[in-house]
Amino acid sequence: MSLIVSTIFGALLLSGPARAQANVFDPGWTMQPGQSVLNFQSVKNRVIVETGSFASLRGKITATGDVTIEIPLESVDTKVDLRNVRMRFMFFESFKYPTATVTAKLDPAMLADLPKVRRKLMDIPVVLDLHGVRRQLETQAIVTLLSENSVAVSTSVPISVAVEDFGLTDGMEKLTEASGFEILPSAFVSFDFVFSRDGTAGLPDAAVIRQEVSLRNSAVELEGNLDYDACKGRFEILSRTGNIYFGSGSASLQSDSLPLLNQVVDIVSRCPGMTIEVGGHTDADGGAAANLTLSEARARSVTEHLVSAGVDARRIRSVGYGEASPVAPNDTTRNKAKNRRIEFAVVER
């Protein structure tokens, strides 16, 4: 992700000698999303390497050298629909943290000789804001002047990003449980960004940018109805997120449950003709009868929220299972938390 910062430098380089003596950032630079890529590699079971990317990217360098790169996490693209959904809901929790942002401040003097050398290796400090955590990173980037008004910035070596550094350990564990694969707790990021000087030929307008992204983007959740398999898979994934919260011993929904429940409402609305079960589950603490009553009340509370948000009550079944269907042994605090859950399932087409 630090690669984004490098991009900025590339943009600086683009300006010709006359501009370099003045302000290389003037009047500003804009990323070309159709020509820019951001890839990441993950390692499963120690030997299986998988590559993913982000289908949507936005970037800007201001005339004063302030760089901002935005990565919409909803656009994560692994080339497999349900794997994309797992990454969004389980790992990135994009319903709470929709965008990763990279910022940097560039010094025009560092790129003053780019019009002459054309290609330059640079160390670039950046700040990555991901999953609610801000950390400073450094990376090496290659800046290549393509023309007076365009520049490419790319990684010289992949950048290692540790999931622990950004509070993503729980998400990694959810992915591991869902996939059945051991996953290395870090990703290796590479990028190749192209920036164009604002106001110059070849910079597409907003409509063209959207079209470019749409044509190559199989990842972003599109509008419209979903088929049975897509609905079934999404509800299984939503059930594993663990992002629906109640007070201890209570059936009252907490406000931090709303981002995920808003996604549930959206998906239910796009699965017409299907009946959805909302199932409540508890851990084994306390009596079985009390746990059954609590699970029923919690499922009912979620159902009432969905109905109040516009879901047809006839399409929702509310069921409580108490402690009867654990997904983990009731032997640790962490495992008990896994058993206290709300599950969603398609029960009828």
Side-chain angles (χ1 to χ4, degrees), residues 59-95:
K60 181 71 178 175
I61 304 169
T62 69
T64 56
D66 294 305
V67 181
T68 301
I69 305 294
E70 294 183 346
I71 307 160
L73 299 177
E74 285 283 327
S75 75
V76 62
D77 191 1
T78 66
K79 307 306 179 187
V80 178
D81 175 61
L82 288 181
R83 191 188 299 162
N84 295 340
V85 180
R86 284 192 193 123
M87 291 290 290
R88 294 200 296 261
F89 285 109
M90 294 182 181
F91 186 63
F92 289 123
E93 296 183 308
S94 59
F95 49 91

Side-chain angles (χ1 to χ4, degrees), residues 2-14 22-26 28-29 59-69 102-112 114 122-127 137 139 141 143 151 153 195:
S2 14
L3 52 97
I4 304 167
V5 184
S6 321
T7 333
I8 307 166
F9 288 107
L12 298 176
L13 315 177
L14 286 180
N23 179 1
V24 296
F25 299 106
D26 186 49
W29 297 78
K60 181 71 178 175
I61 304 169
T62 69
T64 56
D66 294 305
V67 181
T68 301
I69 305 294
V102 178
T103 55
K105 179 71 174 180
L106 299 181
D107 181 357
M110 297 177 64
L111 294 170
L114 185 60
M122 308 182 69
D123 291 323
I124 301 174
V126 300
V127 174
L137 304 173
T139 187
V143 180
V151 65
V153 181
F195 284 79

Side-chain angles (χ1 to χ4, degrees), residues 179-232:
S179 67
F181 291 107
E182 177 187 359
I183 305 174
L184 191 70
S186 62
F188 301 93
V189 178
S190 61
F191 60 92
D192 186 9
F193 294 157
V194 175
F195 284 79
S196 291
R197 190 188 302 278
D198 290 353
T200 59
L203 182 65
D205 62 22
V208 173
I209 291 174
R210 285 194 296 271
Q211 183 179 27
E212 286 178 341
V213 171
S214 176
L215 288 175
R216 69 192 183 97
N217 181 7
S218 62
V220 176
E221 190 79 17
L222 301 177
E223 297 180 357
N225 293 339
L226 301 167
D227 62 25
Y228 175 79
D229 288 337
C231 292
K232 181 175 182 293

Side-chain angles (χ1 to χ4, degrees), residues 18 33 46 53 68 93-94 130 133 147 283 287 317:
R46 302 185 182 182
S53 63
T68 301
E93 296 183 308
S94 59
L130 171 64
V133 178
S147 72
D283 59 30
R317 291 182 185 174

